[in-house]
RNA sequence: GCCCAGGUGGUGUAAUGGUAGCCACGCAGGACUUAAAAUCCUGUUCCUUCGGGAGUGCGGGUUCGAGUCCCGCCCUGGGCACCA
């Protein structure tokens, strides 16, 4: 037999596989019912094709998924195992700038290099399904998804200060920072007010958080990182009156139970309270100086570690504790962040470390209102016995009037009810998650498919805004009922822009009569209702609109129905009054024709209006449906951005879907300007266009999307990569999704994995996909470090190139080594010596073939199992144990132990003179997912036809895997004293007796009688004396 | 500072509460060879008076029995960064 020549073997089989198309994904015919085979979708996080090419660290995850894919294939699954390129973004652009090639050319070249390198390793990719985020055919759908978000008010223009990287010359999302520095280049980030497109990911905070509970096959620490990142805290907003003023200072607290311990207030330097009251502040100069200093500091400086807290009192301003009516001083300090909560706090130094530190420094009063208790509920020390640290944990309330003696959770609850009852506060949930700054002032990204039209922006409309029933408004405060929700807020916003707004309080909202209310509108509107009129109706107000349109029989410009009543069936305890308000018969056929556009804005919880009614209405009116989670249920909050999002005439008009993709123009000069303008802004041919809405002159948005955009949904495209009508067919998505196994680096925990879940949940909400979580099981791949223990990098000159390893040791040895080097999810340093070790193993397997004699079987009747039992060779037991171990380990991604057990098997086979063909073939099958080329060759050498990957994965036989003899350990007082070889089916009594009979045991017992003898089946006998 | 993961031979590592160190690397000795490489065989946690003794970061505890569980420290890696 010839020597193992990996180059010949690998070349031969790669060619063979290509010819036979063995790795082409076998998609069931969806039309016919042939989809009987179970599917398995195994995915890698697709690579960024950088100019440096692959190093040996990159393929580690790909090898793992390839092994799982091959085993699943042999186990009879329809396997989807695709690969593609995440190619937009800064690194490619910077590389292009440096090397003076256009990013698109550079990317194409890098993709070719990566593909060639991956090709060497013998993966099962079906390249017909390759995706590339920079391909217009692909990013057409990235843009399409963005437009759907825009239309639902989830993408909005913002002018708020954001993170700006002066080096990369672009704005960044919170997720793009690492400890206040740019994650890409390490520059210090500036806070800069800029025009940005922002995605309202915070609308999905709750869904992203609660969804984690369903992801039982995700690593706990990744889920933890995500939930920390979302950072939910439950608490209360509390209003503190400002003394001698009608202003109130609103604070957020998670400890409403400590309200009696609030001894002063603190606001952030940016807080409007300061600018609005400058005249009243007696130490104005000191205050302004502090603000100047705070402004000049970078974010990093402001939050620097171990920094002593600073602040200035706002002298002349006092707040009133709403419970005690005590006067509280107000401070301004930069340890209070303007961007979180209300930008102001009540300071409880007795029970908060930061407040304590500040109070100590400025000698402010400290009051204890919570005391620690033991498990029985006994108070541990009294309130006068102040410790040298604030007590920040749960305990029991003291010095707190009506909540005294209550344990913290109950104290919180009682205080919350009290605050709400008295109208001085309400429950509030806060998240740390920030909205996603989604635009980049750079060239190499997806163009944002929007145009700005001044004509549309400046066009004036006449608005009618109608509410409905408000039966309980007077009884239960401002947020219940219809008389005082977002209508005044929206009215003034629209009027500010020069629109006419008719926003009446309709008559008899306590016991409404629709006909009466319609007549009221007609009589009082004060302008002509025509196709320049936009009518907004909330709840029962929608019903008024149906009748109004019927009665007027005139076409209007737009109708917006906000959580509209449709039938007399909805959730409200005073429903009977509403039921009587009309006859509930509407001619929707007619109504449908009476507005240019209908928009239904529904509460995605369907808490008041039932889903069926909403869906029916949308169908009857062919309306555009926008489901969202309003600030308060049934859109009853005082300010409601989602309603404003629908009404705002900001002049932004989406590029019509039929015109997608909006292609990135190929330009010569794509350097970032640094002014906050994208390089695209200089291409006037491209920028100047016409408005798709009014036909007038318009300008294109010139910012591009961030690198993360394309990777938010690529896994869906693999399921249906050539679809020109949809991003993925729902049928195919239903079959292939969700992803059964997703493998990638842990560094994506709070970036890609949160963004992708967000987009997926959005696609689920608009009905584009069938499942609400994209990745069923997630596994992290551990980094491969260089031989010196550092990260592989050109800078250290320690990069190992996979091409060289493949050349010298072969792809199979490289694959095997990367899986053998340690636990898959753990970082591990590369060792060339280690590659040598697995290469030796492959050579031993190769030479083992010489011993294979198909005509020689060494049958050993097991005896134990009696007549009719299976014939065993000398290898049978260990073989079946190995089949079990390897199959289980591959699924669990414990590749290192799988390989180790195969090494043991080969060592066993090496010890015997002959190996049966049956046994050898089983070994080859187990090894084949790891080392596909060599096993394919040996498979054919021992006389098999076809590919080993078309063979059926072996199953272990539990009976055959059982040892016939076992070694029992004997312990005396916990110390090992002897081992004995016994039959595996030995009884407990026999085992104990045999142990006591052992000579060594006799010697150690020295005639003493054992107190106790413990038998652990098949393991040991423990004797206690 | 807070949270999470982890500390086992010279090295990478393995061990459902049950014989610690499987499988490899390295090293030492031997076989083959004129010689070397390659390959094969043997040994390889430490101490030892060869009976044993000690040993999984350190100190305690639970248990017949702890690398594994509990408590308190130390160290390494990762995440968060004054989020009220």
């Amino acid at each position: 037999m010839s020597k193992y020549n990996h180059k010949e073997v690998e070349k031969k089989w790669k060619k063979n596989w290509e010819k036979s198309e063995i790795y082409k994904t076998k998609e069931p015919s969806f039309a016919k019912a042939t989809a009987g085979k179970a599917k398995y979708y195994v995915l890698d996080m697709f690579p960024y094709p950088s100019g440096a090419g692959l190093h040996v660290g990159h393929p580690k995850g790909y090898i793992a998924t390839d092994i799982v894919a091959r085993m699943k294939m042999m186990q009879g699954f329809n396997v989807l195992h695709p690969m593609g390129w995440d190619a937009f973004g800064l690194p490619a652009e910077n590389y292009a700038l440096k090397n003076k090639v256009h990013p698109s050319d550079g990317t194409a070249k890098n993709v070719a290099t990566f593909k060639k390198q991956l090709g060497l390793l013998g993966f099962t990719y079906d390249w017909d399904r390759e995706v590339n985020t920079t391909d217009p055919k692909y990013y057409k759908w990235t843009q399409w998804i963005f437009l759907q978000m825009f239309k639902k008010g989830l993408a909005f223009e913002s002018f708020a200060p954001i993170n700006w990287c002066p080096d990369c010359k672009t704005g960044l999302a919170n997720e793009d920072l690492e400890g206040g520095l740019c994650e890409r280049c390490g520059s210090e980030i500036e806070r800069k007010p800029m025009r940005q497109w922002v995605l309202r990911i915070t609308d999905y905070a709750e869904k992203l958080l609660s969804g984690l509970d369903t992801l039982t096959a995700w690593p706990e620490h990744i889920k933890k990182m995500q939930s920390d990142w979302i950072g939910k805290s439950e608490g209360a907003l509390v209003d503190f009156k400002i003394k001698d003023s009608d202003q109130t200072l609103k604070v957020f607290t998670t400890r409403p139970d400590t309200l009696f311990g609030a001894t002063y207030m603190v606001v952030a330097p940016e807080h409007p309270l300061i600018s609005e009251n400058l005249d009243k502040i007696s130490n104005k100069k000191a205050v302004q100086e502090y603000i100047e200093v705070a402004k000049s500091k970078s974010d990093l400086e402001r939050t620097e570690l171990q920094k002593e807290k600073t602040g200035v009192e706002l002298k002349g301003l006092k707040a009133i504790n709403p419970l005690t009516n005590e006067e509280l001083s107000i401070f301004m300090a930069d340890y209070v962040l303007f961007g979180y909560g209300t930008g102001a706090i009540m300071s409880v130094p007795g029970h908060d470390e930061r407040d304590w530190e500040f109070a100590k420094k400025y000698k402010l009063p400290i009051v204890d209102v919570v005391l620690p208790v033991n498990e029985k509920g006994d108070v541990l020390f009294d309130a006068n016995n102040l410790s040298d640290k604030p007590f920040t944990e749960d305990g029991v309330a003291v010095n707190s009037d009506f909540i005294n003696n209550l344990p913290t959770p109950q104290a919180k609850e009682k205080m919350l009810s009290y605050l709400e009852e008295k109208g001085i506060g309400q429950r509030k949930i806060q998240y740390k998650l920030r909205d996603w700054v989604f635009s980049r002032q750079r060239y190499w990204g997806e163009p944002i498919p929007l145009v700005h039209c001044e004509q549309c922006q400046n066009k004036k409309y006449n608005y009618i805004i109608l509410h409905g029933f408000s039966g309980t408004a007077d009884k239960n405060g401002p947020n219940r009922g219809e008389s005082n929700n977002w209508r005044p807020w929206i009215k003034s916003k629209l009027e500010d822009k020069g629109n006419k707004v008719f926003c009446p309080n309709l008559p008899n909202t306590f016991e409404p009569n629709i006909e009466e209310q319609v007549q009221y509108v007609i009589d009082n509107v004060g302008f002509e209702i025509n196709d320049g009129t936009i009518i907004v109706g909330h709840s029962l107000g929608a019903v008024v609109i149906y009748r109004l349109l019927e009665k007027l029989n005139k076409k209007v410009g737009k109708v917006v129905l906000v959580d509209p009543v449709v039938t007399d069936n909805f959730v409200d305890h005073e429903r009977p009054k509403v039921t009587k308000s009309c006859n509930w018969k509407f001619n929707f056929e007619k109504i449908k024709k009476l507005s240019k556009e209908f928009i239904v804005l529904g509460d995605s919880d369907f808490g008041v209006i039932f889903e069926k009614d909403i869906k029916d209405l949308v169908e009857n009116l062919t309306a555009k449906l926008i489901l969202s989670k309003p600030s308060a249920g049934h859109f009853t909050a005082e300010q409601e951005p989602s309603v404003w999002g629908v009404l705002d005439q900001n002049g932004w008009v989406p590029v019509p879907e039929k015109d997608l993709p909006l292609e990135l123009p190929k330009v010569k000069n794509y350097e970032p300007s640094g002014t906050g303008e994208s390089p695209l802004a200089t291409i006037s041919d491209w920028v100047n266009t016409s408005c798709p809405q009014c036909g007038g002159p318009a300008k294109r948005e010139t910012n591009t999307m961030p690198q993360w955009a394309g990777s938010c949904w690529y896994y869906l495209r693999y399921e249906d990569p050539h679809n020109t009508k949809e991003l993925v067919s729902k049928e195919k998505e239903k079959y292939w999704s969700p992803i059964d196994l997703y493998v990638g680096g842990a560094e994506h925990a709070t970036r890609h994995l949160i963004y992708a879940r967000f987009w997926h949940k959005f696609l689920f909400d608009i009905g584009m996909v069938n499942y609400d979580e994209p990745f069923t099981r997630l596994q992290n791949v551990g980094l491969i470090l260089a031989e010196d223990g550092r990260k592989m990098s050109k800078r250290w000159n320690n990069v190992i190139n996979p091409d060289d390893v493949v050349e010298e040791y072969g792809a199979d040895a490289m694959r095997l080594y990367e899986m053998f080097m340690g636990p898959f999810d753990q970082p591990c340093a590369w060792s060339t010596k280690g590659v040598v070790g697995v290469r030796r193993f492959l050579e031993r397997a190769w030479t083992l073939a010489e011993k294979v004699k198909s005509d020689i079987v060494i049958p050993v009747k097991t005896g134990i199992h009696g007549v009719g039992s299976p014939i065993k060779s000398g290898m049978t037991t260990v073989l079946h144990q190995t089949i079990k171990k390897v199959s289980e380990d591959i699924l669990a991604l414990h590749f290192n132990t799988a390989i180790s057990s195969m090494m043991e098997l080969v060592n066993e086979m090496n010890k015997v003179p002959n190996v049966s063909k049956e046994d050898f073939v089983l070994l080859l099958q187990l090894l084949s997912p790891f080392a596909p080329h060599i096993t394919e060759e040996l498979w054919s050498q021992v006389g098999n036809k076809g590919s080993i990957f078309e063979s059926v994965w072996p199953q272990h036989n539990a009976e055959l895997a059982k040892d016939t003899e076992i070694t029992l350990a004997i312990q005396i007082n916990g110390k090992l004293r002897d081992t004995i070889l016994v039959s595996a089916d030995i009884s407990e009594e026999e085992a104990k007796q045999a142990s006591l009979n052992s000579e060594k045991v006799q010697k150690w017992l020295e005639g003493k009688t054992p107190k106790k003898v413990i038998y652990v089946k098949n393991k040991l006998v423990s004797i206690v004396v």
Side-chain angles (χ1 to χ4, degrees):
Chain A
M1 192 181 180
S2 62
K3 235 183 124 219
Y4 168 43
N5 180 333
H6 63 263
K7 285 186 201 168
E8 261 169 41
V9 170
E10 287 172 11
K11 200 171 147 200
K12 170 177 166 189
W13 287 102
K14 276 197 187 82
K15 218 169 165 183
N16 228 307
W17 292 332
E18 214 170 292
K19 223 170 64 196
S20 65
E21 297 200 326
I22 185 172
Y23 301 135
K24 187 146 252 160
T25 309
K26 288 152 198 95
E27 190 150 31
S29 155
F30 289 101
K32 294 181 214 147
T34 48
K37 258 186 171 181
K39 65 92 188 180
Y40 197 86
Y41 185 176
V42 48
L43 182 68
D44 299 284
M45 289 182 189
F46 64 166
Y48 196 96
S50 74
L54 286 175
H55 66 63
V56 288
H58 291 108
K60 187 174 166 189
Y62 314 153
I63 295 169
T65 52
D66 197 57
I67 289 167
V68 175
R70 285 176 188 272
M71 179 178 79
K72 286 284 174 185
M73 219 178 262
M74 291 164 83
Q75 286 175 336
F77 288 83
N78 257 343
V79 172
L80 177 56
H81 181 221
M83 184 44 81
W85 317 102
D86 182 18
F88 265 136
L90 276 179
E93 192 177 321
N94 290 340
Y95 176 87
L97 285 169
K98 201 172 146 197
N99 294 282
K100 309 253 181 285
V101 285
H102 193 275
S104 65
D105 301 335
T107 296
K109 202 177 123 232
N110 294 347
V111 164
T113 309
F114 266 58
K115 213 166 160 178
K116 188 170 143 258
Q117 285 187 293
L118 288 180
L120 292 174
L121 292 167
F123 293 126
T124 60
Y125 304 132
D126 175 357
W127 286 110
D128 283 353
R129 288 173 182 262
E130 176 180 3
V131 303
N132 183 328
T133 55
T134 64
D135 179 351
K137 291 202 271 309
Y138 177 88
Y139 69 68
K140 168 182 179 174
W141 297 106
T142 312
Q143 291 174 330
W144 184 87
I145 297 170
F146 175 85
L147 280 188
Q148 307 314 305
M149 290 195 164
F150 175 78
K151 289 175 185 172
K152 297 261 184 277
L154 282 169
F156 65 99
E157 194 184 21
S158 156
F159 295 85
I162 55 144
N163 309 305
W164 168 263
C165 175
D167 219 48
C168 296
K169 298 190 174 70
T170 183
L172 296 172
N174 254 20
E175 286 79 6
D176 294 325
L177 308 191
E178 244 164 32
L181 304 177
C182 172
E183 182 260 341
R184 276 258 79 85
C185 69
S187 310
E188 205 167 293
I189 292 302
E190 294 166 12
R191 217 60 201 159
K192 203 168 161 179
M194 277 187 64
R195 191 185 71 81
Q196 292 288 328
W197 284 97
V198 177
L199 297 188
R200 220 183 282 284
I201 189 173
T202 50
D203 268 18
Y204 277 76
E206 192 55 48
K207 277 185 182 170
L208 288 168
L209 187 66
S210 60
L212 291 174
D213 292 339
T214 66
L215 300 174
T216 50
W218 275 42
E220 282 306 318
H221 69 277
I222 299 289
K223 288 195 277 182
K224 179 89 169 57
M225 274 166 74
Q226 289 211 350
S227 88
D228 285 353
W229 189 259
I230 295 164
K232 178 180 183 175
S233 20
E234 294 180 55
L237 291 173
V238 185
D239 295 325
F240 285 69
K241 285 213 162 65
I242 302 295
K243 194 190 163 196
D244 301 328
S245 158
D246 52 7
Q247 278 188 307
T248 55
L249 180 57
K250 212 184 251 308
V251 303
F252 173 69
T253 176
T254 53
R255 290 296 299 271
D257 60 304
T258 61
L259 195 42
F260 285 99
T263 54
Y264 60 99
M265 315 289 290
V266 189
V267 300
E270 300 90 339
H271 200 283
L273 181 82
I274 304 168
S275 51
E276 285 164 16
N277 291 285
L278 262 185
D279 303 343
K280 290 189 199 164
I281 297 171
S282 58
N283 57 337
K284 196 164 147 185
K285 214 174 153 208
V287 167
Q288 281 171 323
E289 269 168 24
Y290 187 86
I291 293 173
E292 279 312 305
V293 174
K295 252 193 210 160
S296 71
K297 284 187 197 168
S298 73
D299 255 30
L300 199 66
E301 285 170 321
R302 256 177 85 161
T303 58
E304 225 164 54
L305 274 168
Q306 286 136 358
K307 196 192 67 170
E308 205 177 285
K309 299 200 169 14
T310 59
V312 176
E313 185 177 352
L314 306 177
K315 287 187 180 150
L317 283 186
K318 293 279 181 193
I320 310 286
N321 184 320
L323 296 186
T324 61
N325 288 323
E326 237 177 299
E327 280 186 18
L328 304 175
S329 317
I330 306 175
F331 284 79
M332 155 184 62
D334 64 2
Y335 82 90
V336 171
L337 308 173
F338 188 58
Y340 183 80
T342 61
I345 61 159
M346 63 177 202
S347 187
V348 186
H351 305 286
D352 181 282
E353 261 174 67
R354 296 149 300 177
D355 296 344
W356 192 85
E357 208 182 298
F358 192 78
K360 279 281 170 191
K361 182 170 171 185
Y362 292 98
K363 303 202 167 46
L364 296 161
I366 300 176
V367 178
D368 262 11
V369 291
V370 187
L371 291 180
V373 286
N374 64 16
E375 284 135 34
K376 286 186 219 146
D378 306 324
V379 174
L380 293 182
F381 51 78
D382 70 73
N384 302 321
N385 185 10
L386 289 180
S387 59
D388 59 352
K389 246 178 32 188
F391 176 66
T392 57
E393 283 149 56
D394 282 9
V396 62
V398 293
N399 295 332
S400 294
D401 198 331
F402 60 94
I403 57 166
N404 275 343
N405 301 320
L406 286 178
T408 302
Q410 283 99 304
K412 275 185 191 171
E413 187 49 45
K414 190 159 181 188
M415 180 63 82
L416 284 168
S417 310
Y418 181 87
L419 293 173
E420 289 191 320
E421 202 180 303
K422 296 281 173 190
I424 45 181
Q426 71 246 40
R427 282 161 217 269
K428 171 79 182 170
I429 293 171
Q430 275 287 338
Y431 300 93
K432 284 189 216 169
L433 186 71
R434 290 288 113 97
D435 279 327
W436 177 8
V437 174
F438 194 70
S439 45
R440 298 292 177 270
Q441 293 69 47
R442 298 284 301 231
Y443 169 72
W444 192 232
E446 300 87 345
I448 291 176
L450 296 173
V451 303
H452 190 264
C453 172
E454 248 174 76
Q455 204 166 295
C456 287
Q457 182 179 18
N458 294 332
K459 191 161 180 196
K460 304 289 178 262
Y461 295 88
N462 293 335
Y463 286 84
I464 300 175
I465 305 180
L466 302 172
H467 61 117
F469 179 63
S470 69
T472 51
D474 302 329
K475 291 176 203 161
N476 282 338
N479 280 325
R480 176 62 183 87
E482 308 299 327
S483 66
N484 198 9
N485 59 11
W486 39 266
R487 289 186 310 129
W489 179 68
I490 295 256
K491 179 173 189 271
S492 74
K493 280 177 93 88
L494 287 171
E495 281 171 347
D496 285 352
K497 293 200 167 191
N499 300 290
K500 263 191 207 150
V501 183
F502 176 60
C503 182
N505 283 316
L506 291 173
N508 294 322
T509 50
F510 187 67
E511 280 188 300
N513 178 319
I514 297 299
E515 309 302 331
E516 179 193 27
Q517 295 186 340
V518 167
Q519 198 52 53
Y520 181 89
V521 172
I522 293 171
D523 293 346
N524 294 282
V525 58
F527 50 73
E528 196 202 339
I529 299 174
N530 56 26
D531 65 358
T533 308
I534 295 175
I535 313 182
V536 184
H538 175 218
S539 200
L540 195 63
V543 179
V544 179
I545 295 180
Y546 311 147
R547 192 63 89 224
L548 180 69
L549 289 176
E550 280 181 341
K551 206 157 175 179
L552 289 171
N553 200 15
K554 262 172 101 182
K555 198 154 185 169
V556 299
K558 193 196 276 190
V559 170
V560 179
L561 303 165
V562 183
D563 222 22
V565 172
V566 185
T567 64
D568 63 341
N569 188 19
F570 52 86
V571 181
D572 193 292
H573 61 289
E574 294 198 64
R575 213 178 87 202
K577 286 183 181 168
V578 175
T579 301
K580 281 184 264 169
S581 67
C582 73
N583 65 5
W584 300 99
K585 291 200 177 74
F586 307 104
N587 182 352
F588 284 116
E589 267 309 303
K590 180 178 169 189
I591 297 168
K592 187 166 117 179
K593 293 178 191 132
L594 294 174
S595 172
K596 285 200 237 166
E597 190 183 3
F598 285 95
I599 296 174
V600 173
L601 182 57
D603 182 342
S604 56
D605 290 340
F606 302 105
V608 173
I609 311 297
F610 294 111
E611 184 170 6
K612 185 182 181 300
D613 276 352
I614 294 280
K615 294 268 159 83
D616 286 350
L617 183 68
V618 166
E619 208 188 311
N620 286 337
L621 297 176
T622 41
K624 193 164 89 186
L625 174 65
I626 301 179
L627 288 178
S628 76
K629 204 175 162 61
S631 306
H634 189 48
F635 297 86
T636 51
E638 286 174 45
Q639 300 192 353
E640 190 49 70
S642 52
V643 177
W644 180 242
V646 175
L647 297 179
D648 186 20
Q649 315 146 231
N650 51 25
W652 287 108
V653 180
V655 170
E657 284 171 20
K658 66 173 172 49
D659 294 343
L660 296 181
L662 171 60
E663 288 201 34
L664 181 65
K666 198 160 177 176
V667 291
K668 284 214 177 82
N669 188 7
Y670 45 86
E671 299 223 10
S673 65
T675 59
E677 281 263 307
S678 151
L680 290 177
T682 60
I683 315 169
S684 57
D685 277 4
W686 187 80
V687 172
N688 292 308
T689 180
S690 58
C691 171
Q693 195 166 276
C694 71
K699 283 186 187 315
R700 290 194 190 281
E701 170 60 61
T702 57
N703 283 336
T704 54
M705 298 189 196
Q707 199 203 315
W708 306 107
S711 60
C712 276
W713 70 281
Y714 74 108
Y715 53 90
L716 292 170
R717 193 60 180 172
Y718 286 133
E719 296 171 350
D720 194 7
H722 307 296
N723 194 333
T724 53
K725 298 208 172 67
E726 306 161 280
L727 61 96
V728 59
S729 107
K730 242 187 138 177
E731 191 177 36
K732 292 187 181 181
E733 199 270 337
K734 186 168 189 181
Y735 178 76
W736 287 114
S737 283
I739 289 157
D740 297 280
L741 175 63
Y742 194 26
V743 172
E747 68 274 15
H748 291 111
T750 55
R751 296 184 181 122
H752 161 62
L753 287 172
I754 276 200
Y755 291 150
R757 287 183 63 225
F758 164 44
W759 278 40
H760 193 91
K761 282 179 181 297
F762 169 71
L763 290 173
F764 178 74
D765 286 349
I766 63 168
M768 292 305 297
V769 296
N770 292 284
Y771 311 93
D772 70 344
E773 285 287 347
F775 315 119
T776 303
R777 179 178 171 207
L778 175 74
Q779 288 282 327
N780 290 132
V781 47
L783 212 64
I784 294 183
L785 303 167
E787 242 159 329
D788 56 11
R790 290 188 292 202
K791 250 182 147 166
M792 271 189 206
S793 152
K794 250 189 203 163
R795 194 172 145 207
W796 306 117
N797 196 26
N798 58 7
V799 177
I800 307 227
N801 189 314
D803 305 18
D804 300 340
V805 180
V806 169
E807 169 76 16
E808 193 166 355
Y809 303 97
D812 287 334
M814 160 138 174
R815 290 169 61 112
L816 208 54
Y817 172 63
E818 295 211 352
M819 295 300 100
F820 183 62
M821 58 198 302
F824 179 65
D825 57 357
Q826 200 176 286
C828 194
W830 181 267
S831 152
T832 303
K833 295 256 176 69
V835 189
V836 173
V838 293
R839 165 75 194 204
R840 281 182 200 150
F841 163 66
L842 288 177
E843 279 170 8
R844 279 199 294 272
W846 179 270
T847 43
L848 208 53
E850 286 172 21
K851 290 193 189 182
V852 174
K853 305 273 158 54
S854 57
D855 51 335
I856 295 181
V857 183
I858 318 150
V860 179
K861 274 242 160 138
T862 61
I864 293 173
H865 302 290
V867 183
S869 68
I871 301 295
K872 284 186 159 191
S873 75
M875 282 303 133
T876 302
T877 303
V878 61
L879 196 50
H880 278 260
Q881 287 171 346
T882 310
I883 293 169
K884 179 171 194 285
K885 177 123 184 88
V886 171
S887 310
E888 289 171 357
D889 280 355
I890 288 178
L891 204 58
L893 270 52
H894 294 165
F895 305 110
N896 54 334
T897 50
I899 294 167
S900 145
S901 72
M902 286 187 285
M903 286 175 167
E904 284 176 69
L905 179 61
V906 168
N907 290 348
E908 286 303 310
M909 287 181 165
N910 251 325
K911 283 182 199 156
V912 296
N914 291 298
V915 175
S916 76
K917 187 184 155 185
E918 288 80 1
D919 289 354
F920 186 64
V921 158
L922 285 171
L923 164 69
L924 290 181
Q925 287 180 302
L926 294 181
L927 184 57
S928 63
F930 296 85
H933 311 86
I934 188 176
T935 47
E936 191 82 287
E937 174 65 22
L938 290 171
W939 167 265
S940 88
Q941 277 191 21
V942 295
N944 290 294
K945 296 236 159 63
S947 166
I948 191 169
F949 299 106
E950 286 163 338
S951 72
V952 176
W953 185 258
Q955 266 189 309
H956 85 280
N957 175 324
E959 272 307 307
L960 295 178
K962 270 187 189 159
D963 282 310
T964 54
E965 283 188 316
I966 49 167
T967 311
L968 273 189
I970 306 173
Q971 292 181 350
I972 297 173
N973 286 347
K975 293 222 183 265
L976 182 72
R977 293 307 180 194
D978 198 8
T979 56
I980 52 174
L981 196 64
V982 296
S983 160
D985 51 10
I986 192 168
S987 74
E988 175 165 354
E989 271 318 302
E990 286 170 330
K992 286 180 177 173
Q993 204 48 54
S995 308
L996 290 170
N997 289 345
S998 136
E999 248 175 70
K1000 286 188 185 166
V1001 170
Q1002 288 296 323
K1003 206 178 105 199
W1004 281 98
L1005 285 177
E1006 293 168 334
K1008 284 179 254 173
T1009 346
K1011 251 195 248 168
K1012 205 166 154 191
V1013 182
I1014 295 154
Y1015 175 62
V1016 182
K1017 195 162 163 30
N1018 291 350
K1019 287 274 158 66
L1020 56 62
V1021 177
S1022 182
I1023 301 166
V1024 191
V1025 288

